[in-house]
Amino acid sequence: PTVPGLPEYNGCPKPQSAYAEEATGALKDILFNFNKATLRPESNDKLNQAAEIIKSSNGGKFLITGHTDKKGSDAYNLKLSRQRAASVVAALEARGVAPEQLKSRGVGEAKATVAETASDAERLSDRRVVVEAISAAADWNAIQKSDVPAPKKSKK
């Protein structure tokens, strides 16, 4: 309370939701290889920027949610969105974000708004990663680190 806060937040510290919005903005239009969860090299600057925003959040907790467009089966898109969100978390952690600050999940095409029959360029807006601040400890603890299913062990 002895340190003056920011005028845009009425003297209060910057809310975690503002960091989340900035990080989502930084991650806008990050690119993945087609049908894969691997990030393309041209996304590095955006990932660096998002990592700096999250690191400046004073230990904020963030859920990285992956979204896909409607093309493909629901099950395939859910799996791909989970892998892509986890891949963004791994990239941010590789850039120095503390692992305890990030969790990931995928929602597939559940929130896609562009028709499956639309052009690839039009469907691009549905292929995204969103950063959400999770402030309540109970909510944070209820979320697993990643919803990517563990590989099945082969029986020998």
Side-chain angles (χ1 to χ4, degrees):
T2 58
V3 179
L6 302 165
E8 61 266 40
Y9 303 114
N10 298 323
C12 294
K14 185 174 180 177
Q16 296 301 321
S17 59
Y19 290 106
E21 283 176 34
E22 286 179 27
T24 296
L27 293 172
K28 187 175 181 344
D29 302 329
I30 62 169
L31 300 171
F32 296 91
N33 287 321
F34 182 69
N35 271 348
K36 291 191 169 59
T38 47
L39 287 151
R40 296 174 54 129
E42 54 268 40
S43 297
N44 282 336
D45 287 345
K46 292 172 187 246
L47 290 160
N48 292 341
Q49 188 181 353
E52 289 309 312
I53 291 165
I54 292 170
K55 286 193 285 189
S56 72
S57 72
N58 298 319
K61 309 257 189 242
F62 300 94
L63 178 62
I64 311 293
T65 304
H67 298 261
T68 65
D69 62 27
K70 291 184 178 182
K71 193 164 189 152
S73 75
D74 290 1
Y76 177 81
N77 283 335
L78 181 59
K79 178 181 174 192
L80 184 62
S81 70
R82 287 173 170 173
Q83 291 171 335
R84 285 182 170 176
S87 141
V88 169
V89 165
L92 292 172
E93 289 175 355
R95 287 162 173 78
V97 176
E100 59 274 7
Q101 283 187 266
L102 300 173
K103 292 185 178 183
S104 70
R105 77 166 171 212
V107 295
E109 61 185 68
K111 296 185 180 179
T113 57
V114 180
E116 186 172 346
T117 54
S119 73
D120 194 49
E122 291 170 314
R123 289 191 323 273
L124 188 65
S125 64
D126 282 336
R127 296 192 299 267
R128 66 195 187 284
V129 174
V130 176
V131 182
E132 177 187 354
I134 308 292
S135 53
D139 294 343
W140 181 254
N141 294 336
I143 302 168
Q144 55 193 14
K145 175 69 176 172
S146 169
D147 59 0
V148 174
K152 292 187 171 53
K153 292 190 168 58
S154 60
K155 296 177 182 168
K156 291 186 178 179

